[in-house]
Amino acid sequence: MSKRTLIASTVIGAFALTGSASVSAVELSDLQKEDAKIQAAAAKSQEKINTLFEQSQELLVEYRQVVDQTENLKIYNDYIASLVADQQRGIDSLQRQIDSIEATKQGIVPLMFRMIDSLDKFVELDTPIHLEERRERIQRLRDLMANSNVTVSEQFRQVLEAYLVEVEYGTKMSSYQGTIDDQGTEVTVDFFNLGRTAFLALSLDQTHAWVWDNDARAWQTLGDEYLTSTIDAVKMANGVIPPDLIKLPIKAAE
């Protein structure tokens, strides 16, 4: 081979190698670019995965909180339900009591009217001690029964109180002023009563005395033998002299 031919072959070979190296460099660059894209895509995918994972963790935490809240609400609702049930039992009990009270009122109101009527009859038939005061008390009871602003319990209390006052009239010694009808003449007197055992009247000038006859429903004039005792009785009742034994006109029990 001539030198010219050798040089040409060498030049051609060099070009061939240069061309092959250029092609390889281009392919490598393309591969690197594709790899970079893949890496970038993988990073984005990983970032999405990380975001989704974080979101799933947050949702898990929220879910657990909701579960806990649901459990707490269930416990609280059960507690409220027990309170409501207890309150309902209380309401039912109160309603039964109210119904019982209403039934009691239906029985006690007529009873009070009968008690007042009986008390009225008793006062009119009894020894007329503090007669006007007792009549006024009975009228107040009748007015009370017609007052819708007064409770049944208060009405019943005052009816019982009136009966207690009547009991006291039979156990106390007292004296007060008033008037009597002495054979058509009205006379101002000092009354004296020893319970219901004796009911006397003494003129203010202390010259005349009378005794109440409940069978005759009238005043009977006392003899002079009882005048001093009647004067002393009035004084004892008024606290002027201390209590002592005195002679009084007392009707024997039959």
Side-chain angles (χ1 to χ4, degrees):
M1 184 176 299
S2 65
K3 289 183 179 180
R4 182 177 297 176
T5 303
L6 182 58
I7 291 171
S9 298
T10 302
V11 171
I12 292 170
F15 274 114
L17 289 174
T18 300
S20 176
S22 297
V23 171
S24 298
V26 170
E27 291 178 353
L28 181 60
S29 177
D30 291 340
L31 289 174
Q32 289 175 342
K33 290 180 180 179
E34 290 300 323
D35 185 61
K37 290 180 180 179
I38 292 171
Q39 293 295 330
K44 289 183 178 179
S45 297
Q46 187 62 44
E47 184 178 351
K48 289 182 180 180
I49 291 171
N50 292 339
T51 300
L52 292 173
F53 178 76
E54 291 175 357
Q55 292 177 349
S56 65
Q57 290 298 109
E58 291 176 356
L59 291 174
L60 179 61
V61 171
E62 290 180 2
Y63 169 75
R64 288 174 177 172
Q65 291 176 346
V66 170
V67 170
D68 291 341
Q69 290 176 356
T70 301
E71 185 64 27
N72 290 337
L73 286 174
K74 182 179 181 301
I75 295 172
Y76 181 72
N77 287 339
D78 292 342
Y79 169 71
I80 294 297
S82 66
L83 290 181
V84 170
D86 184 66
Q87 290 176 347
Q88 186 60 49
R89 286 192 294 271
I91 292 172
D92 293 341
S93 176
L94 287 174
Q95 187 60 52
R96 287 192 297 271
Q97 294 178 39
I98 290 171
D99 294 341
S100 176
I101 290 172
E102 288 300 320
T104 302
K105 285 169 63 177
Q106 291 175 8
I108 201 170
V109 170
L111 172 63
M112 286 191 290
F113 279 112
R114 291 195 298 270
M115 290 174 70
I116 295 172
D117 290 340
S118 297
L119 190 61
D120 192 2
K121 293 177 182 178
F122 172 77
V123 167
E124 295 303 320
L125 295 174
D126 189 32
T127 303
I129 305 166
H130 295 283
L131 182 59
E132 292 306 316
E133 178 183 311
R134 294 159 77 185
R135 286 172 173 171
E136 290 174 0
R137 183 179 297 109
I138 291 171
Q139 185 57 49
R140 286 197 301 271
L141 290 178
R142 296 193 187 280
D143 294 339
L144 190 71
M145 295 301 295
N147 190 342
S148 61
N149 294 322
V150 181
T151 62
V152 172
S153 60
E154 177 61 19
Q155 291 170 341
F156 190 65
R157 185 191 69 80
Q158 293 202 29
V159 170
L160 290 181
E161 188 176 85
Y163 269 80
L164 291 176
V165 172
E166 289 296 325
V167 171
E168 290 179 355
Y169 288 139
T171 60
K172 287 184 175 182
M173 178 176 65
S174 66
S175 177
Y176 62 98
Q177 285 192 354
T179 62
I180 65 171
D181 182 359
D182 181 29
Q183 298 178 357
T185 302
E186 187 176 89
V187 182
T188 302
V189 298
D190 284 316
F191 288 117
F192 168 82
N193 71 284
L194 181 63
R196 290 184 171 87
T197 304
F199 187 38
L200 310 176
L202 177 67
S203 62
L204 296 184
D205 60 7
Q206 298 184 348
T207 60
H208 295 85
W210 297 264
V211 63
W212 176 260
D213 185 342
N214 205 49
D215 292 334
R217 303 298 298 174
W219 289 100
Q220 304 293 332
T221 303
L222 285 175
D224 292 339
E225 70 272 20
Y226 288 108
L227 185 59
T228 300
S229 295
T230 304
I231 294 172
D232 289 342
V234 171
K235 288 180 179 180
M236 282 189 290
N238 289 329
V240 176
I241 62 174
D244 199 358
L245 292 176
I246 56 175
K247 181 182 179 181
L248 294 177
I250 297 175
K251 188 174 183 180
E254 295 180 357

